[in-house]
Amino acid sequence: MKKIKNCKDSYVTMTELVLPNDTNGLNNLMGGRLMHWMDIAAAIAAQKHSNRIVVTASVDNISFSEPIRIGNAVTITAFVTRAFSSSMEVYLEVTAEDIPADKKVHTNRAFFTFVAVDQSGKPIDIPQLEPETEFEKELYDGALRRRQLRLVLGKRMKPSEAKELKSIFDMED
């Protein structure tokens, strides 16, 4: 019987300070630097869930709703939303804080997918996940549709096989 873990077992909060070397010509955080930090936070969450080495399999859309300025403290919260056989989806939320101005703003949300691997790099089974809060349950319920969409877009699944996706569009077989 597979072990079952809760989302809270994988929660990670990581904070970075935006320094001049992290910024572009407008003194805003470079998108690539933020994605790097997000990948680290998500990998730690995936490792905490799986107790294994993990590799990034995919990154969903990352939209930048607000610029993150030099001197801001960037907090990234990440946790596993659903575990499959060897892969897991990780939800990330980014907040930028101007500490002297006492101002916080949510800047980004994203989903990353990781695969747990053994020492030779082969995928390995991971514990299942049981969401507890309403938000965790909402993310858990949508994870299968997001997974199927990733697989279809990556040409690893035929659209006709994506049953969960078809159900939301009420498509005919």
Side-chain angles (χ1 to χ4, degrees), residues 33-65:
R33 177 78 75 204
L34 178 61
M35 289 186 284
H36 173 78
W37 292 341
M38 291 171 77
D39 193 42
I40 292 169
I44 294 168
Q47 285 181 337
K48 286 177 73 169
H49 176 78
S50 65
N51 292 321
R52 296 289 180 179
I53 296 167
V54 298
V55 294
T56 309
S58 72
V59 175
D60 285 12
N61 180 46
I62 301 175
S63 297
F64 298 85
S65 62

Side-chain angles (χ1 to χ4, degrees), residues 117-131:
V117 296
D118 63 18
Q119 294 299 328
S120 63
K122 303 278 189 229
I124 190 165
D125 284 346
I126 59 173
Q128 293 303 302
L129 186 124
E130 186 173 316

